[in-house]
């Protein structure tokens, strides 16, 4: 029994009937206001046909009271020419069984012809040599499979991939298979978020039929969410299968016409569940150690607190000074970096979450003018701040004992660094450096393009997410190159990352792509 896949081509030609003086006195069946449809094999059906035997059936769509028995049905293929021709029955139906269709990709056309040779048509594609099944996809690859026959003239399968279905064979195949029994292929190089078209060509040792082509299938690679707004920062909820994101841009001067706010991303369904506070331009966020609340800074004196159990705004807090970065400590303190000017630096601040009060600024530091950058805190509420400025590239370790800031250590990288610090398993990840908590270098990440900008580290500490790749932290070697371009990235599990890429605005509108990717 041979399996054959049928897909209906959405093309129906309708021509009005015209007469001349020679036939004006003859009676004929007008095709005006009529159409024809191939009803078997059915649209998008996947049926088994024994010995290549196929039941074809077409039906006139029109007035049910008309006798259509004077009309002729002609069925043809571009390879086998006319495969059947006969009169319709009175109800306007043509049917026949055909078991001699040659092995190939056939465009079967049904033409209905009246007494003066006016024609209406419909057509279908029949794949009875090689059939590409619907493409299955997961977070990291596309799985192709196809069915064919046991061909003694087989040479190879060529797998073609294109961004358009009109030029499938213009480029080289992405893969070649020499074993006729291997009818699957796992494509791990398709760029996530892109739409691709695939086709399989069977190459044969035959002058008459040197190859057979499969049908064409299309698919969008990867598991993605598209939005019409920019994403500034992402954070994973360790207690819930959720991630949270800030809707904003990198530039403090940008006018985001798509609005601002905060989004909840359901990682199980991989969808944006809701978006709130769309008029607030947030700059940073952090979850408190209890996991119940999330705090958001907005380059102002207002801090928003979200109840993660109800997913609603619970309250707002008011600081003495505006904040652009924040972290919530284990001792009931909220630490924030005061919003700096366009150039220059500012100090840190402290807020008591238990008494809802601002704490006075107390310091033993001679150096307390911290420039643009990022900061994180460890389980002992020690701050690690990395400057991200052409004139300041210091990594500072700052104590907070007794609600006073003290400079415990400082290291100057002497190179401009991007604003991202990750603390994981008593290690500090800053750009391409791994340092211990005393700011001693333990390793560096490098690739052929230079430094690797580490964006996040897996919960178990084994992997780091850097420039388009996942790296082993123990030896700083590349584990997996990710087929996607992204600005932001976080680990959702030890083997899965959530990525985000925001395109430049067109006509004052943004488009972001959020990606879920399994790298193991």
């Amino acid at each position: 029994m041979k399996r054959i896949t049928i897909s209906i081509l959405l093309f129906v030609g309708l021509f009005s009937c015209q007469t001349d003086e020679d036939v004006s006195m003859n009676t004929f069946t007008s095709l005006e206001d009529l159409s024809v449809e191939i009803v078997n094999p059915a649209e998008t059906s996947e049926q088994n046909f024994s010995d290549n035997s196929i039941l074809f059936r077409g039906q006139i769509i029109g007035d049910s009271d008309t006798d259509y028995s004077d009309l002729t049905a002609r069925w043809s293929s571009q390879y086998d020419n006319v495969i059947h021709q006969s009169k319709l029955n009175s109800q306007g139906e043509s049917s026949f069984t055909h078991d001699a269709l040659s092995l190939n990709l056939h465009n079967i056309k049904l033409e209905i012809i009246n007494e003066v040779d006016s024609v209406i048509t419909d057509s279908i594609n029949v794949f009875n040599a090689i059939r590409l099944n619907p493409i299955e996809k997961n977070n990291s690859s596309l799985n192709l499979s196809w069915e064919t026959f046991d061909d003694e003239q087989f040479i190879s399968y060529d797998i073609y991939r294109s961004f358009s279905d009109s030029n499938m064979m213009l480029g080289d195949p992405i893969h070649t298979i020499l074993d006729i029994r291997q009818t699957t292929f796992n494509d791990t190089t398709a760029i996530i978020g892109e739409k691709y078209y695939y086709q399989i060509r069977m190459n044969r040792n035959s002058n008459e039929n040197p190859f057979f082509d499969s049908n064409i299938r299309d698919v969008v690679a990867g598991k993605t969410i598209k939005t019409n707004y920019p994403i500034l920062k992402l954070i994973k909820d360790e207690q819930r299968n959720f991630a949270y994101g800030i809707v904003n841009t990198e530039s403090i001067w940008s006018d985001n016409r798509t609005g601002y706010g905060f989004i909840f991303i359901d990682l199980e369904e991989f969808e944006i569940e809701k978006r709130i506070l769309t008029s607030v331009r947030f700059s940073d966020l952090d979850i408190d150690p209890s996991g119940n609340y999330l705090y958001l800074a907005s380059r102002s004196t207002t801090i928003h607190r979200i109840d993660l159990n109800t997913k609603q705004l619970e309250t707002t807090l008011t600081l003495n000074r505006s904040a652009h970065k924040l972290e919530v400590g284990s001792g009931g303190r909220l630490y924030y970096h005061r919003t700096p000017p366009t150039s220059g630096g500012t100090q840190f601040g402290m807020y008591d979450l238990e008494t809802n009060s601002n704490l006075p600024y107390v310091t033993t530091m001679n150096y307390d003018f911290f420039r643009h950058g990022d900061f994180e805190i460890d389980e002992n509420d020690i701050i690690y701040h990395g400057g991200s400025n052409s004139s300041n590239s210091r990594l500072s370790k700052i104590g907070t004992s007794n609600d006073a800031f003290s400079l415990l250590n400082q290291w100057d990288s002497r190179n401009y660094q991007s604003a991202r610090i990750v603390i994981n398993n008593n290690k500090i990840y800053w750009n391409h450096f791994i340092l211990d908590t005393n700011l001693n270098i333990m390793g560096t990440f490098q690739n052929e393009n230079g430094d690797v900008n580490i964006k996040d580290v897996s919960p178990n500490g084994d992997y780091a997410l850097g420039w388009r790749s996942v790296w082993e932290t123990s030896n700083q070697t590349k584990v997996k190159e990710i087929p996607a371009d992204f600005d932001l990235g976080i680990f959702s599990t030890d083997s899965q990352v959530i990525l985000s890429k925001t395109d430049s605005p067109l006509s004052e509108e943004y488009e972001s792509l959020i990606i879920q990717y399994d790298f193991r």
Side-chain angles (χ1 to χ4, degrees), residues 170-210:
L170 291 183
D172 295 329
I174 62 170
H175 190 69
T176 296
I177 296 174
L178 301 178
D179 184 353
I180 192 173
R181 295 166 297 180
Q182 183 180 339
T183 56
T184 61
F185 173 68
N186 183 240
D187 187 359
T188 61
T189 64
I191 299 173
I192 298 174
E194 295 286 354
K195 183 175 183 178
Y196 289 99
Y197 297 84
Y198 288 86
Q199 190 170 23
I200 312 297
R201 169 167 287 181
M202 176 196 286
N203 296 300
R204 308 177 70 244
N205 186 21
S206 169
N207 292 329
E208 182 179 356
N209 293 303

Side-chain angles (χ1 to χ4, degrees), residues 9-16 31 34-37 109-112 118-123:
L9 299 180
L10 300 178
F11 173 80
V12 176
L14 180 59
F15 300 94
S16 63
L31 298 182
L34 298 181
S35 62
V36 63
E37 180 184 3
K109 179 186 291 186
L110 168 58
E111 298 172 291
I112 303 300
S118 290
V119 179
I120 55 176
T121 68
D122 192 17
S123 60

Side-chain angles (χ1 to χ4, degrees), residues 137-142 187 190-194 196 219-225 270 514-517:
K137 68 177 184 177
N138 54 36
N139 296 357
S140 57
S141 63
L142 298 172
D187 187 359
I191 299 173
I192 298 174
E194 295 286 354
Y196 289 99
V219 66
V220 176
K223 197 169 185 179
T224 62
I225 303 171
F270 199 59
I514 305 173
I515 298 167
Q516 188 177 71
Y517 183 78

Side-chain angles (χ1 to χ4, degrees), residues 455-469:
K455 301 181 182 300
D456 199 18
V457 178
S458 62
N460 63 10
D462 291 344
Y463 304 105
L465 176 65
W467 189 84
R468 291 202 67 171
S469 300

Side-chain angles (χ1 to χ4, degrees), residues 152-185:
E152 295 181 355
Q153 306 299 319
F154 173 85
I155 297 176
S156 65
Y157 298 119
D158 283 343
I159 300 172
Y160 288 86
R161 183 181 72 192
S162 175
F163 290 114
S164 170
D165 60 353
S166 62
N167 58 355
M168 291 299 304
M169 303 297 179
L170 291 183
D172 295 329
I174 62 170
H175 190 69
T176 296
I177 296 174
L178 301 178
D179 184 353
I180 192 173
R181 295 166 297 180
Q182 183 180 339
T183 56
T184 61
F185 173 68

